[in-house]
CSV table of all heavy atoms in Angstrom, one decimal:
chain,number,residue,atom,x,y,z
A,200,GLU,N,-9.1,118.5,42.3
A,200,GLU,CA,-8.9,117.1,42.7
A,200,GLU,C,-8.6,117.1,44.2
A,200,GLU,O,-7.9,118.1,44.7
A,200,GLU,CB,-7.8,116.4,42.0
A,200,GLU,CG,-8.1,116.3,40.5
A,200,GLU,CD,-6.9,115.7,39.7
A,200,GLU,OE1,-6.1,115.0,40.3
A,200,GLU,OE2,-6.9,115.9,38.5
A,201,GLN,N,-8.9,116.1,44.9
A,201,GLN,CA,-8.6,116.0,46.3
A,201,GLN,C,-7.0,116.0,46.5
A,201,GLN,O,-6.3,115.4,45.7
A,201,GLN,CB,-9.1,114.8,47.0
A,201,GLN,CG,-10.6,114.9,47.4
A,201,GLN,CD,-11.0,113.7,48.2
A,201,GLN,OE1,-10.7,112.6,47.9
A,201,GLN,NE2,-11.6,114.0,49.3
A,202,ALA,N,-6.6,116.8,47.5
A,202,ALA,CA,-5.2,116.9,47.7
A,202,ALA,C,-4.9,116.5,49.2
A,202,ALA,O,-5.6,116.9,50.1
A,202,ALA,CB,-4.7,118.3,47.5
A,203,GLU,N,-4.0,115.5,49.3
A,203,GLU,CA,-3.6,115.1,50.7
A,203,GLU,C,-2.5,116.0,51.1
A,203,GLU,O,-1.4,116.0,50.6
A,203,GLU,CB,-3.2,113.6,50.7
A,203,GLU,CG,-3.1,113.0,52.1
A,203,GLU,CD,-4.3,113.1,52.9
A,203,GLU,OE1,-5.4,112.8,52.4
A,203,GLU,OE2,-4.2,113.4,54.1
A,204,HIS,N,-2.7,116.8,52.2
A,204,HIS,CA,-1.7,117.7,52.6
A,204,HIS,C,-0.8,117.0,53.6
A,204,HIS,O,-1.3,116.3,54.5
A,204,HIS,CB,-2.4,118.9,53.3
A,204,HIS,CG,-3.3,119.7,52.3
A,204,HIS,ND1,-2.7,120.5,51.4
A,204,HIS,CD2,-4.6,119.7,52.1
A,204,HIS,CE1,-3.7,121.0,50.6
A,204,HIS,NE2,-4.9,120.5,51.1
A,205,ASP,N,0.4,117.3,53.5
A,205,ASP,CA,1.4,116.8,54.4
A,205,ASP,C,1.6,117.8,55.5
A,205,ASP,O,1.9,118.9,55.3
A,205,ASP,CB,2.8,116.5,53.7
A,205,ASP,CG,3.8,116.0,54.6
A,205,ASP,OD1,3.9,114.8,54.8
A,205,ASP,OD2,4.6,116.8,55.1
A,206,VAL,N,1.5,117.3,56.8
A,206,VAL,CA,1.6,118.2,57.9
A,206,VAL,C,2.9,118.9,58.0
A,206,VAL,O,3.0,120.1,58.4
A,206,VAL,CB,1.2,117.5,59.2
A,206,VAL,CG1,2.3,116.5,59.6
A,206,VAL,CG2,1.0,118.5,60.4
A,207,HIS,N,4.0,118.3,57.6
A,207,HIS,CA,5.3,118.9,57.6
A,207,HIS,C,5.4,120.1,56.6
A,207,HIS,O,6.0,121.1,56.9
A,207,HIS,CB,6.4,117.9,57.4
A,207,HIS,CG,6.4,116.8,58.4
A,207,HIS,ND1,6.8,117.1,59.7
A,207,HIS,CD2,6.0,115.5,58.4
A,207,HIS,CE1,6.6,115.9,60.4
A,207,HIS,NE2,6.1,115.0,59.6
A,208,GLN,N,4.8,119.9,55.4
A,208,GLN,CA,4.7,121.0,54.5
A,208,GLN,C,3.9,122.2,55.0
A,208,GLN,O,4.2,123.3,54.8
A,208,GLN,CB,4.1,120.5,53.1
A,208,GLN,CG,5.0,119.6,52.4
A,208,GLN,CD,4.3,119.0,51.2
A,208,GLN,OE1,3.1,118.9,51.1
A,208,GLN,NE2,5.1,118.4,50.3
A,209,LEU,N,2.8,121.8,55.7
A,209,LEU,CA,1.9,122.9,56.2
A,209,LEU,C,2.7,123.6,57.3
A,209,LEU,O,2.5,124.9,57.5
A,209,LEU,CB,0.6,122.3,56.8
A,209,LEU,CG,-0.3,121.7,55.7
A,209,LEU,CD1,-1.4,120.9,56.3
A,209,LEU,CD2,-0.7,122.7,54.7
A,210,LEU,N,3.4,122.9,58.2
A,210,LEU,CA,4.2,123.6,59.2
A,210,LEU,C,5.2,124.6,58.6
A,210,LEU,O,5.4,125.6,59.2
A,210,LEU,CB,4.9,122.5,60.1
A,210,LEU,CG,4.0,121.8,61.1
A,210,LEU,CD1,4.7,120.5,61.6
A,210,LEU,CD2,3.7,122.7,62.2
A,211,GLY,N,5.8,124.2,57.5
A,211,GLY,CA,6.7,125.1,56.8
A,211,GLY,C,6.1,126.4,56.3
A,211,GLY,O,6.7,127.3,56.0
A,212,ARG,N,4.7,126.4,56.1
A,212,ARG,CA,4.1,127.6,55.6
A,212,ARG,C,3.6,128.5,56.7
A,212,ARG,O,3.2,129.6,56.4
A,212,ARG,CB,2.8,127.1,54.8
A,212,ARG,CG,3.2,126.3,53.6
A,212,ARG,CD,2.0,125.9,52.9
A,212,ARG,NE,1.5,127.1,52.3
A,212,ARG,CZ,0.8,127.2,51.1
A,212,ARG,NH1,0.6,126.1,50.5
A,212,ARG,NH2,0.4,128.3,50.6
A,213,LEU,N,3.8,128.1,57.9
A,213,LEU,CA,3.4,129.0,59.0
A,213,LEU,C,4.3,130.2,59.2
A,213,LEU,O,5.5,130.1,58.9
A,213,LEU,CB,3.3,128.2,60.4
A,213,LEU,CG,2.2,127.2,60.5
A,213,LEU,CD1,2.3,126.4,61.8
A,213,LEU,CD2,0.8,127.8,60.3
A,214,THR,N,3.8,131.3,59.7
A,214,THR,CA,4.6,132.4,60.1
A,214,THR,C,5.5,132.0,61.2
A,214,THR,O,5.1,131.4,62.2
A,214,THR,CB,3.7,133.6,60.5
A,214,THR,OG1,2.8,133.8,59.4
A,214,THR,CG2,4.6,134.8,60.8
A,215,ALA,N,6.8,132.4,61.1
A,215,ALA,CA,7.7,132.1,62.2
A,215,ALA,C,7.4,132.9,63.5
A,215,ALA,O,6.7,133.9,63.4
A,215,ALA,CB,9.2,132.4,61.7
A,216,GLY,N,7.9,132.4,64.6
A,216,GLY,CA,7.8,133.2,65.8
A,216,GLY,C,6.7,132.7,66.8
A,216,GLY,O,6.5,133.4,67.7
A,217,VAL,N,6.2,131.6,66.6
A,217,VAL,CA,5.2,131.1,67.5
A,217,VAL,C,5.9,130.1,68.4
A,217,VAL,O,6.9,129.5,68.1
A,217,VAL,CB,4.0,130.4,66.9
A,217,VAL,CG1,3.2,131.4,66.0
A,217,VAL,CG2,4.4,129.2,66.0
A,218,ASP,N,5.4,129.9,69.6
A,218,ASP,CA,6.0,129.0,70.6
A,218,ASP,C,5.4,127.6,70.5
A,218,ASP,O,6.1,126.6,70.7
A,218,ASP,CB,5.8,129.5,72.0
A,218,ASP,CG,6.5,130.8,72.2
A,218,ASP,OD1,7.7,130.8,71.9
A,218,ASP,OD2,5.9,131.7,72.7
Side-chain angles (χ1 to χ4, degrees):
E200 296 178 19
Q201 279 191 312
E203 190 60 41
H204 298 282
D205 179 86
V206 70
H207 300 288
Q208 292 171 339
L209 296 172
L210 284 163
R212 297 182 70 149
L213 292 176
T214 303
V217 299
D218 295 310

